[in-house]
Amino acid sequence: MFWNEIRTPAALVDLDRLEANSSRISERVRKLGAKLRPHVKTHKCVEAARFQIRGHFGGITVSTLAEARFFARAGFRDITYAVPIAVDRLEEAVEIGRSIDALHLLLDHESTFEAMSACARAKGVRLSSFLKVDCGYHRAGVDPERDESVALAVRMARSEDVDFRGVLTHAGHSYHGANASEIKAVAETERSVMARFAEKLTRAGAPPPEVSVGSTPTISLGNSLEGVTEARPGNYVFYDRFQAAVGSCGIESAAFRVLATVLSHYPERNEILIDAGGLALSRDEGPTHIDPDCGYGAVFSGDGKSHFASLRVRSISQEHGKIQGTSPIDYSALPVGTKLRIVPNHSCLSAALFDRYHVFRGDAAVGEWRPVRGW
Amino acid sequence: MFWNEIRTPAALVDLDRLEANSSRISERVRKLGAKLRPHVKTHKCVEAARFQIRGHFGGITVSTLAEARFFARAGFRDITYAVPIAVDRLEEAVEIGRSIDALHLLLDHESTFEAMSACARAKGVRLSSFLKVDCGYHRAGVDPERDESVALAVRMARSEDVDFRGVLTHAGHSYHGANASEIKAVAETERSVMARFAEKLTRAGAPPPEVSVGSTPTISLGNSLEGVTEARPGNYVFYDRFQAAVGSCGIESAAFRVLATVLSHYPERNEILIDAGGLALSRDEGPTHIDPDCGYGAVFSGDGKSHFASLRVRSISQEHGKIQGTSPIDYSALPVGTKLRIVPNHSCLSAALFDRYHVFRGDAAVGEWRPVRGW
């Protein structure tokens, strides 16, 4: 099938770009001396994960237990579920863990540690868990400056029910960076906070087997992983408009795009209507800290080769997308029915809205990939 | 199954609230003297649509051809697809139309009219279409003040291939209203623009069989549908935080809520982590024109009965939701593992993220509903 025969809106993956993105981060992490345990939540499909682990030890990171189950069934043997687990889902984790070599969990609260210990005892297993650390993003994780955080790590390290796997963080505040140098600074914070905390735990008698970090901006731009043992970037496989804005990549590296069709013209407003709305592009606001008028997507020609920099997806509702021109639109070049390829602000959230991805190498369709959904 | 046994995040529908919301709008539209052709895009499931059409003629409105196909198969015989159709999907519309009494399409561009005429001729059918009119929202539709708009309606009315079904608008700018009186003003504009345009078309020899309007705020709050023949609200079945903010309903009327679990506590930041993020609540920004700090959801107790007005979902990422307190959080009342019920900003976008809804009457589970997905 040729790309212009696909019913829209549709999710398109460019395999050449995906491989290039994957190889770049793979080599980068190797040079920086860490293991790569890529996150698969951006695409949630087996085929893309296989590109990510090529040449590495095979471990992956997931964002839901549904992903853990799906990738375990597909043959992935070493999985980290990188969200603090809900205490009433521990038994599911035991089941998934039994089917593979290792399922590593996360905790950052005493109650979860206690529930995990109780579940492990009841099931006659040991549960492997990281201690989640807050390196400045302030979303989840223990404060590495507090004595209670050290005490919790020590309890984990001494536990007979929980295997203390190490410390793990995500510098999500790298997404707030306005340029490469700001992101490099966050990357250095992420690394140094974790390295220092690991040293502190070692002195306290709880040396962390793993020191795990990772966000696509910090791994794309950071210069050192000294004191870190593994990196967990994920978005880089697809990249997106946000990553391009903060400097992780160029916009042309975006391997995931939404194919849309021009539905109508409104010359009186210098606008075009397309059939990709919030249920195709997601309502992620994008890099508004860099460009308050960024809208909801960068517009490319249907073949994905030309960036129409003077067009942007100005607003979206459920199934409508409104493209506005920053200069007068040449409507004769974009008749009703024209296909456009949109790079969404946030590929993770847009990709999750589709049940399948149409995969292309150049103009040639090479298959369909099916992501896992739900929790 | 009891609500607190459901794995989270999960979509919960409260049937008593849904029926009350449905009855309220049903009676309102009847009193205002119009037919009700409810939109089903908010829930996309057969069961909720059946409540909506109770006591009315049975026609519905959909936002995708996938919905049209799904509801046609479920026995709905009169369907309006209320997005200007992509010209390369006209043949699908013919197929769906053949399976039911009537599938009405939309157009607002000469090219689409010509493609529709050509497709109808090629397939040996007549295609029924509304002329989409812009009553001030400026998303889609012809400008009712322009002569070209009248000319297009006249071409439709005289066509041998297209059945001119009438004129249709959606006052989406009612969502920009800050209170009930502003929305009443938009409702009056929606009605009067359409009534006047219909008169103009009648004088021009193209009397519109139907004059169709509809948005949940304008139908919830408007006082007249004089000159209008049918109303197409949809969100009212579920309502949501946005509708409550603009005055369409009270927040307690929200029939769709996301069940979430408390994952951790951060007393140093007066925050709680839950397992409902952007893939459960959607990243719809909500009524920021009324409350710039509204965040991503209103927080209720797990049974849905108590509104925790001092808690709000402050930020979300893919699978994390961060609740912040506007006063000190009583953590002892919300231990790790506690269930919370979140009213999302925009129920249409949140509901579309789930493959099933758990349906309750009070505390009793009464079934699961499966929405249609895709396009």
Side-chain angles (χ1 to χ4, degrees):
Chain A
M1 190 185 268
F2 203 59
W3 57 264
N4 62 5
E5 293 161 19
I6 296 171
R7 295 195 301 198
T8 60
L12 267 52
V13 170
D14 182 305
L15 207 47
D16 290 329
R17 288 191 176 99
L18 182 147
E19 284 185 326
N21 296 343
S22 225
S23 299
R24 180 178 159 227
I25 292 296
S26 167
E27 286 160 29
R28 191 166 177 78
V29 172
R30 200 192 325 274
K31 270 189 201 149
L32 292 171
K35 290 186 287 185
L36 179 63
R37 181 189 284 280
H39 215 310
V40 301
K41 78 180 175 71
T42 299
H43 52 77
K44 298 177 181 247
C45 67
V46 169
E47 297 86 346
R50 291 202 179 118
F51 282 105
Q52 287 178 288
I53 61 170
R54 220 181 247 179
H56 289 269
F57 78 107
I60 58 169
T61 311
V62 301
S63 68
T64 65
L65 286 176
E67 290 168 30
R69 207 174 281 118
F70 177 78
F71 285 95
R73 284 185 191 143
F76 292 78
R77 310 282 311 162
D78 189 332
I79 300 175
T80 296
Y81 168 42
V83 177
I85 189 166
V87 290
D88 60 355
R89 301 196 65 173
L90 284 161
E91 293 191 13
E92 288 171 69
V94 170
E95 289 311 311
I96 298 166
R98 276 184 172 141
S99 71
I100 57 176
D101 296 337
L103 176 68
H104 312 293
L105 305 176
L106 249 67
L107 67 85
D108 66 358
H109 195 282
E110 290 270 345
S111 299
T112 308
F113 171 67
E114 280 150 23
M116 207 180 274
S117 304
C119 177
R121 271 196 304 278
K123 295 284 176 183
V125 297
R126 286 172 68 90
L127 280 163
S128 170
S129 184
F130 282 92
L131 178 65
K132 166 89 176 180
V133 178
D134 179 9
C135 69
Y137 182 29
H138 303 328
R139 181 180 69 179
V142 299
D143 180 345
E145 298 302 322
R146 291 167 68 99
D147 293 342
E148 293 88 335
S149 308
V150 176
L152 182 53
V154 169
R155 283 189 69 189
M156 291 172 75
R158 291 182 184 162
S159 170
E160 293 185 353
D161 309 302
V162 170
D163 271 329
F164 178 48
R165 180 68 181 178
V167 289
L168 178 150
T169 199
H170 167 66
H173 48 316
S174 60
Y175 286 78
H176 307 154
N179 52 52
S181 77
E182 287 185 26
I183 289 169
K184 282 174 199 284
V186 175
E188 179 50 23
T189 302
E190 181 181 39
R191 184 202 68 76
S192 61
V193 164
M194 294 303 281
R196 273 202 313 273
F197 188 56
E199 285 165 19
K200 197 193 278 187
L201 294 187
T202 302
R203 286 194 301 273
E210 299 283 358
V211 180
S212 179
V213 306
S215 80
T216 284
T218 58
I219 299 298
S220 295
L221 294 164
N223 293 321
S224 167
L225 287 176
E226 202 184 324
V228 162
T229 66
E230 71 167 26
R232 307 181 329 280
N235 176 281
Y236 69 90
V237 177
F238 282 166
Y239 279 130
D240 53 30
R241 188 140 170 267
F242 199 108
Q243 298 287 351
V246 301
S248 300
C249 65
I251 188 77
E252 70 288 343
S253 294
F256 175 89
R257 305 184 189 198
V258 174
L259 192 70
T261 301
V262 172
L263 301 180
S264 195
H265 294 162
Y266 309 97
E268 63 278 21
R269 301 194 298 272
N270 203 36
E271 288 176 356
I272 283 172
L273 185 70
I274 58 170
D275 62 354
L279 286 191
L281 298 171
S282 100
R283 283 199 64 89
D284 194 281
E285 306 98 293
T288 49
H289 63 302
I290 294 171
D291 177 3
D293 285 329
C294 67
Y296 296 91
V299 182
F300 283 73
S301 54
D303 63 9
K305 287 168 190 160
S306 308
H307 181 196
F308 297 148
S310 68
L311 299 180
R312 53 176 57 184
V313 182
R314 189 71 197 82
S315 65
I316 48 179
S317 40
Q318 187 162 343
E319 300 293 351
H320 299 74
K322 183 200 276 196
I323 289 178
Q324 218 168 45
T326 53
S327 57
I329 295 172
D330 175 8
Y331 288 98
S332 65
L334 300 166
V336 168
T338 301
K339 302 294 180 208
L340 295 171
R341 221 177 273 206
I342 314 292
V343 175
N345 285 339
H346 191 166
S347 58
C348 311
L349 296 189
S350 175
L353 297 168
F354 291 88
D355 288 332
R356 76 192 66 186
Y357 311 144
H358 299 272
V359 185
F360 284 82
R361 223 181 247 294
D363 287 338
V366 294
E368 278 187 19
W369 293 352
R370 304 285 177 133
V372 64
R373 292 174 43 79
W375 297 272
Chain B
M1 189 184 270
F2 203 58
W3 57 264
N4 61 6
E5 294 162 17
I6 296 172
R7 296 195 300 197
T8 58
L12 267 53
V13 170
D14 182 305
L15 207 48
D16 290 329
R17 288 190 176 101
L18 182 147
E19 285 186 325
N21 296 343
S22 224
S23 300
R24 179 177 160 230
I25 292 296
S26 166
E27 284 160 31
R28 190 162 179 80
V29 171
R30 201 193 326 275
K31 269 190 202 149
L32 292 171
K35 290 186 288 184
L36 179 64
R37 181 190 284 280
H39 215 310
V40 300
K41 77 180 175 72
T42 299
H43 52 77
K44 297 176 181 252
C45 68
V46 169
E47 297 85 347
R50 290 199 181 119
F51 283 105
Q52 285 179 289
I53 61 170
R54 219 181 248 180
H56 290 268
F57 78 107
I60 59 170
T61 310
V62 300
S63 68
T64 64
L65 285 175
E67 289 167 31
R69 207 174 281 117
F70 177 80
F71 284 95
R73 284 186 190 142
F76 292 79
R77 309 284 310 163
D78 188 333
I79 300 176
T80 295
Y81 169 42
V83 178
I85 189 166
V87 289
D88 61 354
R89 300 195 66 174
L90 284 161
E91 292 190 14
E92 287 172 69
V94 169
E95 289 311 309
I96 298 166
R98 276 183 172 141
S99 72
I100 58 177
D101 296 337
L103 177 67
H104 311 293
L105 305 176
L106 250 68
L107 66 86
D108 67 357
H109 195 283
E110 290 270 345
S111 299
T112 308
F113 172 67
E114 280 150 22
M116 205 180 275
S117 304
C119 177
R121 270 195 305 277
K123 295 283 177 184
V125 296
R126 286 171 70 90
L127 280 163
S128 171
S129 183
F130 281 94
L131 178 65
K132 168 88 176 180
V133 178
D134 179 8
C135 70
Y137 182 29
H138 303 327
R139 180 179 70 179
V142 298
D143 180 347
E145 298 302 322
R146 291 167 68 99
D147 293 342
E148 294 88 336
S149 308
V150 176
L152 183 53
V154 169
R155 283 189 69 187
M156 292 172 74
R158 292 182 184 163
S159 169
E160 293 186 355
D161 309 302
V162 171
D163 270 329
F164 178 49
R165 180 69 181 177
V167 289
L168 178 150
T169 199
H170 167 65
H173 49 315
S174 60
Y175 286 78
H176 307 155
N179 52 53
S181 77
E182 288 185 25
I183 289 169
K184 283 176 199 282
V186 174
E188 179 51 23
T189 301
E190 182 182 39
R191 184 203 68 74
S192 61
V193 164
M194 294 303 281
R196 272 203 312 273
F197 188 56
E199 285 165 20
K200 197 194 277 189
L201 294 187
T202 302
R203 286 195 301 272
E210 298 283 358
V211 180
S212 179
V213 305
S215 80
T216 284
T218 57
I219 300 297
S220 293
L221 295 165
N223 292 321
S224 167
L225 286 176
E226 203 185 324
V228 162
T229 66
E230 71 168 24
R232 307 181 327 281
N235 175 282
Y236 69 91
V237 177
F238 283 165
Y239 279 130
D240 53 31
R241 188 140 170 266
F242 199 109
Q243 299 287 349
V246 300
S248 300
C249 65
I251 188 76
E252 69 289 342
S253 294
F256 175 90
R257 305 185 191 198
V258 174
L259 191 70
T261 301
V262 172
L263 302 180
S264 194
H265 294 162
Y266 309 96
E268 63 278 21
R269 301 194 297 270
N270 203 36
E271 288 175 356
I272 283 172
L273 185 70
I274 59 170
D275 61 355
L279 287 191
L281 298 171
S282 99
R283 284 200 65 88
D284 194 283
E285 306 98 294
T288 50
H289 65 301
I290 294 171
D291 177 3
D293 285 329
C294 66
Y296 295 92
V299 182
F300 283 73
S301 54
D303 63 8
K305 286 167 190 162
S306 307
H307 181 195
F308 298 149
S310 68
L311 300 180
R312 54 175 59 182
V313 182
R314 189 69 195 83
S315 66
I316 48 179
S317 39
Q318 188 162 344
E319 299 294 352
H320 299 75
K322 182 199 276 195
I323 289 179
Q324 217 167 46
T326 53
S327 58
I329 295 172
D330 176 8
Y331 288 98
S332 66
L334 300 166
V336 168
T338 302
K339 303 293 180 209
L340 295 171
R341 221 176 273 207
I342 314 291
V343 175
N345 285 338
H346 191 166
S347 59
C348 311
L349 295 189
S350 176
L353 296 168
F354 291 87
D355 288 333
R356 75 191 68 186
Y357 312 144
H358 299 271
V359 185
F360 284 82
R361 223 182 248 293
D363 286 337
V366 295
E368 278 187 18
W369 294 350
R370 304 284 178 134
V372 64
R373 291 176 42 80
W375 296 273

